[in-house]
Amino acid sequence: MKHEKQPKHEQPEAKEPPRKEKKRRRKRGGTLFLIILLLILAILVLLFFNPFGWGNGGAFGLGGQSSSDSSPNNSSAVSDNSEQSAADTVTITIDNEDIYFDGELCDETALKEKIISLGTEKKYELEHSRAIKSAYDSVKAILVELEDALGITVNYNE
């Protein structure tokens, strides 16, 4: 029994080596890039050239002439009006704790006296962007008191 017939082992069939999958290029990437580029370009055109007339009037418009061109006296009437309204308005400015009545430094009692002397001849405008709260509160209290007592017009800019 030297050599008994051993069952033959079946040899596996030769398999083909696995194929390398080809990496497919994404065509979407180029298309997406193009779409984003077009959107950015459209936004820039809208911001800088303002074709629809949005904003402060800095666009290249195709509209007709404005009405101010047809009436040359219109601009002088506007400037006269603004000069007249500026002359009718007194500005009260609070800068930190300092109080200014039309650019002249004064205290609370002087402010009250000046407003009483002018009365309703003028309109009053309060500028308080750099005011300390205590100074603002005292000036506002004076203005509210005189507004009720004298009937003056005050723009508090709140």
Side-chain angles (χ1 to χ4, degrees), residues 71-85:
S71 60
N73 294 334
N74 191 15
S75 63
S76 64
V78 170
S79 64
D80 290 343
N81 228 0
S82 64
E83 288 173 10
Q84 184 180 11
S85 66

Side-chain angles (χ1 to χ4, degrees), residues 112-129:
K112 192 171 186 177
E113 291 171 2
K114 289 180 181 189
I115 294 173
I116 290 171
S117 67
L118 288 176
T120 57
E121 295 176 15
K122 305 265 184 180
K123 295 178 182 177
Y124 301 91
E125 184 163 344
L126 179 61
E127 292 182 1
H128 52 85
S129 61

Side-chain angles (χ1 to χ4, degrees), residues 46-115:
L46 288 175
L47 288 176
F48 290 110
F49 295 109
N50 199 2
F52 299 109
W54 300 323
N56 60 0
F60 303 161
L62 299 175
Q65 293 180 342
S66 66
S67 61
S68 64
D69 292 342
S70 61
S71 60
N73 294 334
N74 191 15
S75 63
S76 64
V78 170
S79 64
D80 290 343
N81 228 0
S82 64
E83 288 173 10
Q84 184 180 11
S85 66
D88 291 343
T89 303
V90 173
T91 304
I92 301 168
T93 307
I94 307 172
D95 187 15
N96 292 324
E97 291 181 345
D98 298 329
I99 302 167
Y100 296 93
F101 186 85
D102 256 356
E104 182 182 327
L105 183 64
C106 64
D107 61 353
E108 294 171 6
T109 55
L111 173 69
K112 192 171 186 177
E113 291 171 2
K114 289 180 181 189
I115 294 173

